[in-house]
């Protein structure tokens, strides 16, 4: 059993959240960076702690997934991907893997956040603890495992397309708006999940809708113009497309579009953080 992160105990009549709070989420994360690191490592270790092969599964799972996609989409269905109105052969399994990996960062972190506070009642009632870093730790753990999937995708590009693009170096920048967007929604749903216990079920349905609105298994280019515009109103769909550009097609991201999306996601992260800070004072009463 892993030890819990160090926390400072207080009297029972002092509400959780009585510690000094930062109004800006980046300041909060920097202030609690060591505790955040410990929580993230705990999340990562807990994933495969009880298994015999441990972290090996983090590599084995994406390899098997890529193999299945290659057989099903590449060999049986002979899937073709549309790029700028032209069909590209041989990349369908890779584009599905890249899209699904980016989506998993979003879906896994948000899904976990809905039960994050409820599942850590001891931090809410008995200690002064920065509850706002709990959803972020779950997000960082999801990113850790997603990076392994992206590494497998890059290897797959090298094996199947016989080249690895230098544009893959831009992947961290492409993931920045995804991280901010996911963090903001994690804070929002983590708080909402305390007051409304139906939230996990609602989020599962919303994530299923997002899966098919993001263009994971189809190219938005095959849709009529009106539906294409609707798909690209989804910021996750734009991020997924940028991931595929830099990893598979050897294209640099749309820098202006990426900058605009980063600003919007940064704003959404701040809104989610502010919502969490203002609502966390009532967690102890509800739980």
């Amino acid at each position: 059993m892993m030890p819990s992160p160090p926390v400072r105990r207080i009297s029972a009549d002092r509400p959780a959240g009585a510690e000094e709070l930062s109004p800006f989420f980046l300041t909060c994360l920097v202030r609690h960076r060591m505790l955040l690191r410990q929580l993230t490592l705990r999340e990562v270790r807990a994933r495969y702690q009880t298994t015999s092969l441990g972290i090996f599964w983090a590599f084995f799972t994406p390899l098997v997934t890529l193999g299945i996609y290659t057989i099903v989409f590449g060999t049986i269905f002979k899937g073709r991907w549309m790029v700028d109105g032209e069909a590209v052969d041989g990349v369908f399994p890779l584009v599905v893997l890249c899209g699904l990996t980016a989506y998993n960062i979003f879906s896994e972190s948000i899904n976990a956040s809905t039960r994050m506070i409820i599942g850590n009642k001891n931090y809410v009632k008995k200690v002064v603890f920065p509850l706002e870093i709990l959803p972020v730790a779950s997000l960082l753990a999801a990113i850790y495992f997603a990076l392994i999937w992206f590494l497998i995708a890059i290897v797959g590009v090298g094996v199947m397309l016989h080249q690895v693009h230098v544009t893959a170096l831009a992947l961290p920048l492409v993931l920045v708006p995804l991280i901010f967007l996911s963090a903001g929604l994690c804070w929002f749903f983590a708080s909402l999940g305390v007051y409304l216990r139906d939230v996990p079920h609602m989020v599962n349905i919303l994530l299923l809708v997002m899966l098919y609105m993001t263009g994971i298994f189809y190219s938005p280019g095959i849709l009529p113009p009106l539906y294409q515009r609707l798909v690209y109103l989804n910021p996750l769909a734009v991020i997924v497309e940028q991931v595929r550009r830099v990893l598979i097609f050897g294209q640099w991201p749309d820098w202006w579009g990426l900058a605009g999306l980063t600003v919007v996601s940064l704003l959404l992260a701040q809104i989610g953080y502010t919502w969490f800070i203002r609502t966390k004072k009532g967690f102890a009463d509800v739980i």
Side-chain angles (χ1 to χ4, degrees):
M1 181 175 180
M2 288 176 293
S4 298
V7 290
R8 180 165 55 92
R9 296 198 170 273
I10 58 172
S11 60
D13 59 347
R14 185 177 178 183
E19 74 278 6
E20 181 183 356
L21 298 176
S22 171
F24 303 107
F25 77 92
L26 288 176
T27 305
C28 170
L29 298 182
V30 171
R31 175 184 300 171
H32 300 293
R33 60 188 179 278
M34 297 305 296
L35 181 57
L36 181 60
R37 177 177 177 272
Q38 293 181 42
L39 289 170
T40 302
L41 289 175
R42 187 181 70 171
E43 291 282 336
V44 170
R45 291 168 182 164
R47 179 77 66 95
Y48 302 109
Q49 185 181 16
T50 59
T51 64
S52 300
L53 298 180
I55 197 66
F56 169 77
W57 289 110
F59 293 89
F60 184 70
T61 303
L63 279 172
V64 172
T65 302
L66 180 58
I68 292 173
Y69 287 170
T70 301
I71 295 172
V72 174
F73 295 113
T75 304
I76 299 176
F77 292 111
K78 299 188 182 300
R80 305 174 72 191
W81 196 261
M82 300 295 295
V83 179
D84 298 329
E86 297 183 1
V88 180
D89 296 323
V91 301
F92 202 95
L94 294 170
V95 295
V96 172
L97 181 67
C98 289
L100 196 59
T101 303
Y103 171 82
N104 283 343
I105 295 175
F106 180 83
S107 62
E108 287 183 11
S109 58
I110 291 177
N111 196 33
S113 71
T114 60
R115 300 177 178 87
M116 185 62 64
I117 306 302
I118 299 296
N120 291 277
K121 296 180 181 180
N122 55 320
Y123 292 154
V124 177
K125 291 189 173 183
K126 297 181 180 179
V127 296
V128 171
F129 186 87
L131 297 173
E132 53 274 13
I133 70 172
L134 287 174
V136 181
S138 178
L139 170 61
L140 292 179
I143 294 171
Y144 174 86
F145 291 109
L147 291 178
I148 297 176
W149 283 62
F150 281 130
L151 177 61
I152 298 300
I154 293 173
V155 172
V157 170
V159 171
M160 300 170 67
L161 304 183
H162 309 294
Q163 57 183 333
V164 176
H165 304 291
V166 68
T167 54
L169 296 174
L171 178 63
L173 295 177
V174 172
L175 295 180
V176 167
L178 175 61
I179 295 171
F180 287 152
L181 174 64
S182 300
L185 291 176
C186 281
W187 277 314
F188 176 75
F189 285 116
S191 171
L192 194 62
V194 176
Y195 298 99
L196 185 61
R197 301 303 170 90
D198 294 331
V199 166
H201 305 287
M202 296 166 53
V203 167
N204 284 335
I205 295 174
L206 290 174
L207 290 175
L208 182 62
V209 173
M210 288 288 289
L211 175 65
Y212 291 100
M213 288 186 61
T214 304
I216 302 296
F217 302 103
Y218 63 89
S219 170
I222 66 175
L223 300 175
L226 175 61
Y227 293 102
Q228 286 188 40
R229 288 192 289 270
L230 290 176
V231 168
Y232 287 128
L233 287 176
N234 174 10
L236 189 57
V238 179
I239 295 170
V240 165
E241 182 176 285
Q242 297 300 313
V243 168
R244 290 164 173 163
R245 282 171 62 101
V246 300
L247 290 187
I248 301 175
F249 301 113
Q251 302 172 350
W252 293 105
D254 176 5
W255 295 113
W256 286 108
L258 185 63
L261 188 57
T262 300
V263 171
V264 171
S265 61
L266 187 64
L267 178 61
L268 290 175
Q270 182 61 47
I271 292 173
Y273 173 78
T274 303
W275 164 272
F276 187 93
I277 292 302
R278 292 188 177 183
T279 56
K280 68 179 285 190
K281 297 177 182 178
F283 288 175
D285 296 330
V286 176
I287 293 179

